[in-house]
Amino acid sequence: MGVNKDKVTYIIENNVLDNVICRALELRPTEIAKYICGLTNSIGGYIFLGVEKQNGHMKKLGCQKTFNLNGVMDMVKVQLDDEIPMGYGFVSVVGVDIFVIEVPQSDKKIWLDGKYFVYENNDVVEKVVNKNDEPMTLFISYTECDTTIVDIIEEKIKERLKDRIKISRYIQLQYKDSFKAFMNTIQDHDFVLTVVSDTYLRRQACMYEVGEIIKNHHYKDRLLFVVLSEKERKYYGAAAPEKIGPDIYKGAGERLEYVDYWKRQYENLEKKMREINDFEAVSKASEDLKIMGQIFRKDMGEFLDFLADENGKSFEKLFANDFDEVIAWLK
């Protein structure tokens, strides 16, 4: 099967770097097989031999047609555990010959010698995953007023991954189930997806969940997030909150407003407890005070810094590309 020459030319001439692996020359079948596995286990993409990425730009170096790359590809196919309907061949881009391998996204895990690879930043990395067919587990953390958005996200993830994922959220709670016990199961999930709105950052239950998430020092490997904005208001109808989008990306001052909000919540509760001045009467409130203190002193700042530093996507952009980035991360 060949490749789409027009698309390849467009990618190179317009420096489209997403899901593309560039190598000046690579003839080792095992390495090429790794690249193929990494791309197919993500959202698919291209391997260009005869192209380098230099300072964030593609540079055409060329690949000699005298190399027996069809023979190399025959050896690559032998190494792969499953047949992948990829296309490959030479393409001339502005007079420079390069060898192109076009890799589709797979609907199942593809293994290479018992190892699982995924694409990351012009390379592939090995991930430790369970090779059996048990579904991965995802906990969605959100606030009730954003339910309509969460319904859309959950429906799309289930549509794309089908029975390969099991999703937990509040609607699964039964009458008299412990809400806190349910939230404490967060650590038992493979991934957590936070749907971040202004209201979410002001709800104690949501911030408690965030605290449970970041207890794990490796939480950045399993925490995904979707940041909402005012552009999503059309999905809410009459139940839309006064403000939807959180002020995360405007600067440190705006992010500190949320820390200040929780500090004031802490101080107000502490003042009320002192006024009551009865240990037994305020014993339950003492637990809430402790949680609020953890939120404004540590959890809120760390969570907001994570959101600001990571290359996250807005709901609008994710929805437009069929949630490809989320699906790739989960896979």
Side-chain angles (χ1 to χ4, degrees):
M1 187 172 74
V3 298
N4 188 325
K5 296 180 180 180
D6 291 337
K7 189 170 184 180
V8 169
T9 300
Y10 177 85
I11 290 171
I12 294 176
E13 290 300 289
N14 291 276
N15 201 50
V16 181
L17 302 175
D18 293 339
N19 306 309
V20 175
I21 295 175
C22 298
R23 293 293 181 268
L25 181 63
E26 179 58 78
L27 299 178
R28 294 171 294 177
T30 300
E31 289 302 302
I32 294 176
K34 268 198 240 180
Y35 300 155
I36 292 169
C37 282
L39 288 169
T40 197
N41 285 327
S42 299
I43 59 174
Y46 289 86
I47 301 165
F48 295 154
L49 303 183
V51 178
E52 276 189 343
K53 284 185 181 178
Q54 295 182 0
N55 299 320
H57 294 276
M58 293 188 194
K59 182 178 179 180
K60 301 186 295 291
L61 302 175
C63 183
Q64 295 181 28
K65 288 187 174 181
T66 54
F67 292 132
N68 183 19
L69 283 162
N70 285 327
V72 172
M73 292 304 297
D74 288 338
M75 289 186 281
V76 167
K77 292 175 186 177
V78 170
Q79 297 194 37
L80 297 171
D81 288 0
D82 294 87
E83 184 176 346
I84 301 172
M86 56 192 166
Y88 55 87
F90 279 95
V91 173
S92 178
V93 181
V94 194
V96 179
D97 293 326
I98 64 171
F99 189 79
V100 178
I101 305 170
E102 187 174 351
V103 183
Q105 178 181 357
S106 173
D107 60 358
K108 62 180 180 180
K109 292 185 177 74
I110 301 296
W111 301 82
L112 179 65
D113 291 333
K115 297 178 181 179
Y116 184 74
F117 296 93
V118 296
Y119 171 85
E120 283 187 12
N121 191 27
N122 195 37
D123 207 345
V124 295
V125 295
E126 182 183 354
K127 295 287 186 179
V128 178
V129 297
N130 192 344
K131 194 170 182 178
N132 61 32
D133 292 328
E134 290 183 9
M136 69 190 87
T137 54
L138 172 69
F139 184 97
I140 303 182
S141 176
Y142 66 102
T143 187
E144 187 175 0
C145 71
D146 300 323
T147 298
T148 54
I149 299 294
V150 177
D151 289 342
I152 295 171
I153 295 172
E154 180 179 15
E155 180 181 0
K156 180 54 64 176
I157 292 175
K158 285 183 174 179
E159 177 186 315
R160 296 285 303 274
L161 294 176
K162 297 180 173 59
D163 59 353
R164 288 179 292 152
I165 191 161
K166 182 178 179 182
I167 298 176
S168 300
R169 50 184 287 201
Y170 302 137
I171 57 175
Q172 294 160 326
L173 279 175
Q174 302 298 317
Y175 178 60
K176 287 194 174 182
D177 279 354
S178 169
F179 184 68
K180 189 172 181 179
F182 178 75
M183 290 193 292
N184 287 341
T185 66
I186 293 175
Q187 297 289 359
D188 297 331
H189 291 74
D190 297 319
F191 298 96
V192 178
L193 172 65
T194 57
V195 181
V196 185
S197 63
D198 180 75
T199 306
Y200 180 88
L201 295 175
R202 299 179 190 273
R203 289 288 184 269
Q204 182 173 320
C206 298
M207 291 302 97
Y208 178 83
E209 291 173 9
V210 167
E212 289 297 300
I213 295 165
I214 64 179
K215 278 181 180 178
N216 187 319
H217 295 303
H218 301 288
Y219 73 88
K220 293 182 180 180
D221 295 330
R222 54 196 290 264
L223 175 59
L224 301 87
F225 62 93
V226 177
V227 179
L228 304 185
S229 72
E230 295 304 314
K231 294 178 180 179
E232 280 73 74
R233 186 169 293 277
K234 59 181 177 287
Y235 297 103
Y236 286 80
E242 182 178 346
K243 184 178 181 182
I244 296 176
D247 296 325
I248 294 175
Y249 300 112
K250 291 182 178 180
E254 284 74 11
R255 293 196 293 274
L256 284 175
E257 287 293 331
Y258 292 105
V259 176
D260 181 62
Y261 169 83
W262 282 105
K263 185 173 185 293
R264 285 185 279 112
Q265 294 295 107
Y266 176 90
E267 290 171 346
N268 290 339
L269 180 59
E270 186 181 43
K271 179 182 177 183
K272 183 63 68 176
M273 290 170 62
R274 285 200 305 268
E275 290 173 353
I276 294 174
N277 194 28
D278 185 290
F279 177 77
E280 291 187 13
V282 301
S283 59
K284 178 61 175 68
S286 296
E287 296 179 20
D288 289 327
L289 188 70
K290 183 178 179 181
I291 292 172
M292 290 179 186
Q294 176 75 9
I295 292 171
F296 90 79
R297 292 190 180 103
K298 180 180 183 298
D299 295 346
M300 179 60 76
E302 183 172 347
F303 184 57
L304 292 178
D305 286 345
F306 168 75
L307 296 179
D309 290 342
E310 293 294 313
N311 184 26
K313 300 287 186 180
S314 67
F315 174 84
E316 182 185 38
K317 291 181 178 178
L318 289 169
F319 187 78
N321 64 13
D322 215 26
F323 288 84
D324 279 344
E325 288 89 345
V326 172
I327 299 303
W329 189 267
L330 291 172
K331 287 182 65 181

